[in-house]
Amino acid sequence: MASEEYARRTWTVTRHRVTHAMAKIRSEYEKAPPKPTEHKPVAEPPVPADLLNLLCRLGVALVGAGETSARVQTILDKLSKRYGTDNIHFMVLPTAVFVRVRTDESSALDMLDARVGTLPLDQIAGLYRLIDQIEEDAPPPSRASRDLDKILTQKPGSPPWLILVGQVVLTVGIGMMLNPGARALVGYVVLGLVVGALTQLADKWRLLSMALPVVASAVVALLAYGFPGALAGGQPQQLLIPAVATLLPGAMLTNGTIELATGSMVAGASRVVYGINMLFLLALGSYVGISLLGPLSDPPVSHAQLGWWAPILGVLLIGYGHSWRSSAPANTVGWLLMVLYITYAAQFLGKHVSGPLTGAFFGGIVAVNAAYLIQGRKHAPPTQVAFLPAFWMLVPGGISLTGISDLVNHSLSGVASGGLEVLVSALLSVMSIALGVMVGSGLATAHTPRVSTIIDTVVPRHLPWHHTARVTEKPGSDS
């Protein structure tokens, strides 16, 4: 019995000690900080987010610089490979840039909206300088994004009053090149002021910006046909194209035609539809303006024309007007004028050899190659900056608007003949310029080294209109 009592007491004591020890261990464990749970390391994204953001924004800026979708994709592919990535794929549309990153396990998609419109020339020049810097040095994407912010947010190089003066000078220059009527000069000045003022108001008033094509063309038609003797020498139709030339969707129609020809069907079709819609809005405005006047009178027509020198002086005015209106970079006006005169000579020669369509084709070829010829010269602008003024001098949408305006005038006068002929002529004109630009781009990119050697022997690097300030040479680039 004693042994059983001893065993029972020993078991009770042992159990009590074990229970107390376990309670103490549990209390100490609860007081101790939790042990961090080990997780498998999370795989970093295959492409840094700041690089994707930079490439998207560069694509949007290039769309605003007037580049075609295929050209933007080529530039973005080159830049992404410069940063050491080869798994990024781009899809560029006139209103958005899509970026796809593909890995072995999955893929990610990003996009950024693009605005419709063309950047000022100084911003375009800064954009291409940044692209050249990325191709040469590959700076950190965050730093390149900050540089891009500075470029896109900088104020225009031309103050508002100079932009307005540039609009007037550009209108007069286009008028002297297309319709050098002596009595029409007053109309070019007046209507240039009106359209320039409306354009600046539209930049601040969103409602007017959406209706600008209709409002501007209506006001132009109202003034031109309301005061035909004082403003146009009895030929108000001469004023329509020069006055609204800056609103013509020439870039949209030409780039859209190029994209359709090269297989970018979505981008090309959207550009062409947008361009045609703009043309009909301009024609609608002309119809409204003429309709408000009621029955039109037939004032005496003045056939006084300026001399043979008028188109040559008009090209000079186009160069200065475009540089002021679009804020061209400093010290580039001389190069812009060189490209403009070379393009005009080619257009004039083609027109007199075989007609307007051949002139438009030759102008497109020469404009691209002339812009490539001057790249790399001291103070010379990037290729796109030198090309855009010459491109606008060709007025690719001018004949289209003329045709649609003719249809409006026919409907007002009860004449319906010739409509199909007019529209076919408009389409052929746009296609001629687009084909010239495509051929010219192919020739320029295929023979750039050889052409550069030729220009070195013809044009010195230091031209008399340049000041002697020292500027760092930028490397040659096909962008």
Side-chain angles (χ1 to χ4, degrees):
M1 292 293 294
S3 61
E4 290 180 2
E5 181 66 20
Y6 177 77
R8 186 176 60 79
R9 188 178 299 170
T10 302
W11 168 250
T12 302
V13 171
T14 302
R15 186 177 62 182
H16 176 73
R17 289 179 177 176
V18 171
T19 303
H20 179 73
M22 291 179 64
K24 187 176 181 181
I25 292 173
R26 186 181 296 109
S27 175
E28 294 294 332
Y29 179 78
E30 290 176 354
K31 291 180 182 180
K35 215 173 184 184
T37 306
E38 294 186 0
H39 297 284
K40 293 183 179 180
V42 179
E44 293 292 331
V47 178
D50 54 355
L51 177 57
L52 284 179
N53 179 62
L54 173 63
L55 293 174
C56 280
R57 298 186 61 209
L58 285 174
V60 169
L62 286 168
V63 172
E67 293 281 10
T68 62
S69 298
R71 176 69 177 151
V72 175
Q73 289 181 208
T74 300
I75 295 175
L76 293 180
D77 285 334
K78 186 187 301 183
L79 295 181
S80 66
K81 288 180 172 59
R82 182 65 182 86
Y83 279 107
T85 60
D86 57 358
N87 60 337
I88 305 180
H89 304 275
F90 302 95
M91 179 180 179
V92 180
L93 298 177
T95 55
V97 175
F98 295 86
V99 181
R100 180 191 180 197
V101 182
R102 187 172 61 183
T103 63
D104 294 336
E105 293 81 13
S106 62
S107 63
L109 183 66
D110 195 8
M111 64 86 66
L112 188 63
D113 292 337
R115 69 175 187 176
V116 178
T118 305
L119 297 174
L121 293 181
D122 54 353
Q123 292 187 9
I124 295 177
L127 171 64
Y128 283 97
R129 283 195 298 269
L130 176 60
I131 291 174
D132 290 340
Q133 181 184 356
I134 293 175
E135 291 181 353
E136 183 178 357
D137 301 330
S142 57
R143 193 179 82 190
S145 292
R146 289 194 298 269
D147 294 340
L148 183 60
D149 281 333
K150 293 178 182 177
I151 293 170
L152 299 180
T153 57
Q154 68 182 6
K155 294 182 178 179
S158 301
W161 67 266
L162 187 58
I163 294 176
L164 183 60
V165 171
Q167 176 74 36
V168 176
V169 172
L170 179 61
T171 302
V172 175
I174 294 175
M176 293 180 68
M177 191 183 71
L178 296 181
N179 302 302
R183 296 284 301 276
L185 291 178
V186 176
Y188 295 148
V189 173
V190 171
L191 296 181
L193 279 171
V194 170
V195 174
L198 287 174
T199 303
Q200 293 199 18
L201 286 175
D203 292 337
K204 301 177 181 179
W205 191 13
R206 179 173 175 78
L207 183 61
L208 178 59
S209 67
M210 293 187 292
L212 181 62
V214 177
V215 173
S217 59
V219 173
V220 166
L222 191 64
L223 293 175
Y225 284 88
F227 305 94
L231 299 182
Q235 302 182 64
Q237 68 276 5
Q238 289 188 352
L239 302 180
L240 295 181
I241 300 305
V244 298
T246 55
L247 301 178
L248 294 173
M252 280 288 178
L253 290 172
T254 304
N255 283 346
T257 304
I258 293 173
E259 288 167 343
L260 287 175
T262 55
S264 301
M265 291 179 288
V266 176
S270 59
R271 287 187 197 268
V272 170
V273 170
Y274 178 86
I276 292 175
N277 180 67
M278 282 286 292
L279 287 177
F280 276 105
L281 289 177
L282 290 168
L284 174 63
S286 297
Y287 180 87
V288 171
I290 296 173
S291 299
L292 291 176
L293 294 172
L296 301 177
S297 60
D298 293 327
V301 177
S302 172
H303 296 286
Q305 295 286 307
L306 300 175
W308 58 267
W309 47 266
I312 299 176
L313 178 60
V315 175
L316 179 69
L317 295 178
I318 289 173
Y320 277 99
H322 207 296
S323 65
W324 294 336
R325 179 185 178 274
S326 299
S327 303
N331 303 315
T332 60
V333 177
W335 292 111
L336 297 182
L337 289 174
M338 178 185 292
V339 175
L340 284 170
Y341 275 109
I342 293 174
T343 303
Y344 174 74
Q347 184 185 22
F348 180 83
L349 178 63
K351 180 179 179 180
H352 282 75
V353 168
S354 183
L357 295 181
T358 304
F361 174 72
F362 281 175
I365 291 179
V366 172
V368 176
N369 284 275
Y372 272 91
L373 282 175
I374 68 172
Q375 68 175 358
R377 310 300 104 188
K378 188 177 179 64
H379 299 298
T383 300
Q384 190 72 357
V385 175
F387 167 71
L388 284 176
F391 175 78
W392 280 109
M393 188 186 66
L394 296 173
V395 196
I399 299 178
S400 299
L401 180 62
T402 303
I404 295 177
S405 298
D406 287 344
L407 293 180
V408 172
N409 292 334
H410 289 332
S411 66
L412 287 172
S413 59
V415 180
S417 61
L420 180 60
E421 210 176 293
V422 163
L423 293 178
V424 170
S425 174
L427 179 60
L428 290 177
S429 300
V430 172
M431 293 181 66
S432 297
I433 295 178
L435 182 60
V437 171
M438 281 193 298
V439 174
S441 299
L443 292 175
T445 54
H447 301 289
T448 300
R450 182 178 177 184
V451 169
S452 179
T453 303
I454 295 174
I455 196 63
D456 282 336
T457 64
V458 176
V459 180
R461 288 182 175 268
H462 302 278
L463 295 179
W465 55 68
H466 293 144
H467 60 69
T468 57
R470 183 165 183 163
V471 177
T472 304
E473 290 274 335
K474 65 177 181 290
S477 170
D478 61 356
S479 62

